[in-house]
Amino acid sequence: MKKITFTLLFCFAMTCLAIAQAAFADMTQQAGLSMAGLNYGIAVADFDQDGEEDLFATRIILGCVLYKNNGDGTFTDVTAQAGITTAGTAQFAVWGDVNNDGWPDLFIGARDDDNMLYLNNQNGTFSNVAAAAGVLNGKKVKAALFADINMDGWLDIYVARLGLQNILYRNNGDGTFTDITLASGTIDPSISMGAIFFDYDNDGDPDLYLTHDANIPNILYRNNGNGTFTNVSVISGANIAAMGMGVDVGDINNDGWMDIYITNLGANTLLLNNGNGTFTNIAVEAGVHDFGMGWGCSFLDFDNDGWQDIYLANDSNFSPFPNLLYRNNGDNTFTVVSENTPLHSMLGGYGFGCFDYDHDGKLDIYLANYGGMVGNQFFKNQGSNDNNWLKIKTKAVESNASAIGTRVTLEMDGSIMVDEVNGGSGWASQNSLILHFGLGQVDTVNLMTVRWPSGIIDSFENVPANQLLEVTEGESKIEDPPTNQTEIIPDDFEMYLMPNPFRDYLLVHFANNTKVPQHLKITLLDATGKVLLTLADQDHFTGSANFRAEAGSLPKGILFVQVDIGGTSFTRKLIRV
């Protein structure tokens, strides 16, 4: 009896250990990615459009490296033949198609040198056009990001700098950029560090979060929808003051709202998005307040169980803490599962990129180590779980060609998942532009909604799991507005729909900026033009107000918000999931 009991306990313990531990193998040497030097970050993209995702690794002094994915588990250094030469202090890089020709271009920022913008020549080579494009001005760069801030179909560039004015470059659509920092309201000459664009309020445009070092409060800029931003740090509760470094976003509790993770020198921060414009720091309760010298961080579902996990890199040369992989327990808490694995590295980690390099449906990690001759590390995900997954490759038509800013929403078995195509995150890095969802045991997604920066919404029903699905903007049939009105909102008015897509409720924020009282009527219509609900019917309306509608028995699918104010009418599309 004792022998049987011991055997059962041993088997149970081994099962728990197998579940708890992450299964990653260090494949650096086999892949040809053991890059020595003072390495900084990793940017992922398929630069030659051969279906294999390539890597750009930044480092100071010795120069950055472009690695081509050979499709057989190995990579080749093609930097020289690609025509890429980088300044000695180049540290920050991001991929994005700035001229909308279907090929990813490369922007590079440096500590002591000018910026570089390499246009993709579509033949494996690049040309530096930074001077002609008007984006040379950089130096002291701490983050470089792409985003279409005004949703005009062209990628803009944001550069965060250390102790110098940050810069927002607007893409003019003719190969040139204009510095619009002052006009945009994103002025900040503080000790800037990491930054990220994402839609925190679910209103369809990219907002900006900026971290600071030296206990200077972080900043959350809300996008006003017209190329300008408003600082909402205090009212949102996102004004964390610490030694901020890297930052990433993900939906940890599958409620449809993006949360924020921030690495610091000292306790890290996890800001839970409350869905009402505010955040709450739950890092301690969640168990992710690691005290190391944090740099890179990323949300990723490493085990495809349907919950976003967190990997973070610590500079163990500065503070003796290892890198950590936190597994999401599905209840707003996390558990460290990297102990006794290569992920628990003590080699001075900085930035890293996540991507599925071998198309097996599991996310792999390439880590930059700032450790001299130690070199980078490439971790292959060898998890043996039988969970399902879905990868989404977005192909834009009306939006910027990289589809950066596109949001994908999955609905299945009463749950919801969201993610966005991102133009730079973590620390000095960029993950794959292909969105990766773990689905657990779900084998069919009931409804998939793709909201593009252009405002176009595609929806697909009964999507099978375990596939790379390429979605082209506008490919699903979306009805036009039910009247001759348009989605263009006159400058005298402002309207935000939160969230979009929505499930339980809809919040319509409307502002009459004319200071002239006018009759306002806001109605919710179905695709045929039938009035489903009247949200507002007020005389003498001026100023701004929020109008809330409970979803109740509203139909799923494409709906429209129609606004009539004075003699002006317009509509906006939205979707209920």
Side-chain angles (χ1 to χ4, degrees):
M1 184 66 181
K2 290 182 179 180
K3 183 177 181 180
I4 295 175
T5 302
F6 174 79
T7 302
L8 289 175
L9 289 173
F10 178 79
C11 292
F12 177 75
M14 290 300 99
T15 300
C16 291
L17 181 63
I19 292 173
Q21 290 296 103
F24 283 80
D26 189 330
M27 303 292 287
T28 311
Q29 298 297 326
Q30 297 90 324
L33 292 171
S34 53
M35 172 180 164
L38 301 176
N39 304 314
Y40 242 70
I42 309 296
V44 181
D46 181 5
F47 82 89
D48 54 2
Q49 302 292 277
D50 65 351
E52 306 292 341
E53 292 194 284
D54 312 296
L55 302 166
F56 189 78
T58 59
R59 65 179 170 184
I60 63 174
I61 303 175
L62 296 178
C64 305
V65 177
L66 175 62
Y67 285 109
K68 174 179 168 56
N69 187 334
N70 300 318
D72 60 0
T74 68
F75 293 77
T76 300
D77 179 349
V78 296
T79 317
Q81 65 195 67
I84 296 177
T85 56
T86 53
T89 60
Q91 298 168 298
F92 302 86
V94 62
W95 295 98
D97 189 351
V98 300
N99 56 0
N100 285 343
D101 65 353
W103 295 74
D105 310 301
L106 182 65
F107 181 81
I108 304 171
R111 186 187 66 196
D112 304 323
D113 301 284
D114 292 330
N115 297 328
M116 290 155 274
L117 176 59
Y118 279 99
L119 286 189
N120 193 324
N121 297 324
Q122 305 181 19
N123 59 4
T125 69
F126 294 78
S127 299
N128 187 1
V129 299
V135 295
L136 269 181
N137 188 23
K139 298 184 175 63
K140 304 296 183 185
V141 173
K142 288 300 176 183
L145 307 174
F146 278 126
D148 183 1
I149 64 158
N150 52 1
M151 289 80 73
D152 64 352
W154 299 94
L155 281 180
D156 311 298
I157 302 172
Y158 181 74
V159 181
R161 304 197 294 171
L162 184 70
L164 296 174
Q165 182 60 252
N166 297 342
I167 304 173
L168 179 57
Y169 289 110
R170 184 189 64 209
N171 192 331
N172 300 320
D174 60 1
T176 68
F177 291 75
T178 299
D179 182 344
I180 62 166
T181 312
L182 181 62
S184 71
T186 56
I187 300 170
D188 182 63
S190 300
I191 305 178
S192 298
M193 298 299 284
I196 190 169
F197 282 98
F198 75 110
D199 187 3
Y200 89 94
D201 51 3
N202 290 2
D203 67 350
D205 48 39
D207 310 298
L208 173 62
Y209 192 71
L210 174 67
T211 73
H212 287 132
D213 201 349
N215 284 308
I216 298 172
N218 297 343
I219 297 177
L220 176 62
Y221 293 104
R222 180 174 65 82
N223 193 323
N224 299 321
N226 58 4
T228 68
F229 293 78
T230 299
N231 187 333
V232 295
S233 310
V234 176
I235 62 174
S236 67
N239 59 329
I240 298 298
M243 305 289 187
M245 303 298 171
V247 58
D248 196 23
V249 297
D251 183 6
I252 69 162
N253 54 357
N254 290 343
D255 66 349
W257 297 87
M258 302 295 276
D259 311 301
I260 308 173
Y261 190 70
I262 306 156
T263 55
N264 299 293
L265 171 55
N268 293 340
T269 303
L270 176 58
L271 294 178
L272 185 70
N273 192 328
N274 298 317
N276 60 2
T278 69
F279 292 83
T280 301
N281 184 5
I282 64 166
V284 174
E285 300 91 324
V288 294
H289 57 299
D290 170 66
F291 286 94
M293 172 68 260
W295 290 100
C297 59
S298 183
F299 287 96
L300 73 161
D301 188 355
F302 82 92
D303 54 2
N304 288 334
D305 67 349
W307 298 95
Q308 289 287 297
D309 312 301
I310 300 173
Y311 187 58
L312 69 94
N314 279 317
D315 181 2
S316 53
N317 296 322
F318 185 92
S319 181
F321 287 81
N323 301 344
L324 296 173
L325 176 62
Y326 289 108
R327 182 182 184 274
N328 190 330
N329 299 320
D331 59 0
N332 284 1
T333 69
F334 293 75
T335 301
V336 174
V337 293
S338 49
E339 294 176 334
N340 302 314
T341 78
L343 295 179
H344 222 64
S345 175
M346 290 285 290
L347 299 185
Y350 267 55
F352 60 88
C354 303
F355 68 121
D356 181 8
Y357 89 105
D358 54 359
H359 312 290
D360 66 352
K362 292 175 290 208
L363 286 171
D364 311 295
I365 300 172
Y366 186 43
L367 169 69
N369 287 311
Y370 194 76
M373 298 308 296
V374 171
N376 291 344
Q377 292 170 283
F378 180 58
F379 305 122
K380 174 177 169 52
N381 190 336
Q382 294 186 322
S384 60
N385 67 75
D386 61 353
N387 288 328
N388 297 318
W389 50 272
L390 180 65
K391 297 194 295 184
I392 311 297
K393 184 177 182 179
T394 47
K395 184 178 180 181
V397 177
E398 299 294 332
S399 301
N400 70 85
S402 295
I404 289 173
T406 300
R407 171 176 285 213
V408 174
T409 303
L410 307 183
E411 183 185 7
M412 53 213 155
D413 296 340
S415 66
I416 186 171
M417 297 181 188
V418 299
D419 204 357
E420 296 179 358
V421 181
N422 193 271
S425 64
W427 175 257
S429 295
Q430 178 183 30
N431 292 325
S432 172
L433 296 174
I434 297 173
L435 297 182
H436 183 112
F437 291 90
L439 301 179
Q441 294 301 301
V442 173
D443 57 13
T444 302
V445 174
N446 302 131
L447 178 65
M448 181 179 79
T449 305
V450 184
R451 188 191 70 194
W452 305 84
S454 65
I456 292 174
I457 297 176
D458 287 300
S459 60
F460 307 86
E461 294 182 344
N462 301 321
V463 178
N466 302 324
Q467 63 166 321
L468 169 61
L469 182 63
E470 183 172 305
V471 179
T472 301
E473 185 175 11
E475 72 173 87
S476 70
K477 183 62 177 176
I478 299 295
E479 298 293 334
D480 291 328
T483 70
N484 292 325
Q485 301 157 1
T486 72
E487 289 193 322
I488 299 175
I489 300 176
D491 292 339
D492 290 337
F493 311 109
E494 295 178 14
M495 182 168 71
Y496 308 109
L497 308 179
M498 301 177 290
N500 187 15
F502 74 101
R503 179 176 59 179
D504 301 318
Y505 71 93
L506 172 67
L507 192 67
V508 178
H509 174 81
F510 187 80
N512 174 10
N513 297 325
T514 65
K515 298 184 180 179
V516 177
Q518 301 179 63
H519 180 262
L520 171 68
K521 188 172 184 178
I522 302 177
T523 50
L524 189 65
L525 315 177
D526 66 13
T528 68
K530 176 185 176 182
V531 176
L532 302 172
L533 194 65
T534 298
L535 282 77
D537 192 357
Q538 298 182 12
D539 291 320
H540 311 297
F541 179 83
T542 188
S544 63
N546 293 325
F547 304 96
R548 182 184 174 103
E550 301 300 326
S553 60
L554 292 175
K556 294 180 181 179
I558 302 299
L559 303 175
F560 297 90
V561 171
Q562 177 175 301
V563 175
D564 297 281
I565 182 164
T568 303
S569 298
F570 49 87
T571 62
R572 286 289 299 272
K573 295 178 187 176
L574 71 157
I575 190 168
R576 188 197 172 200
V577 296

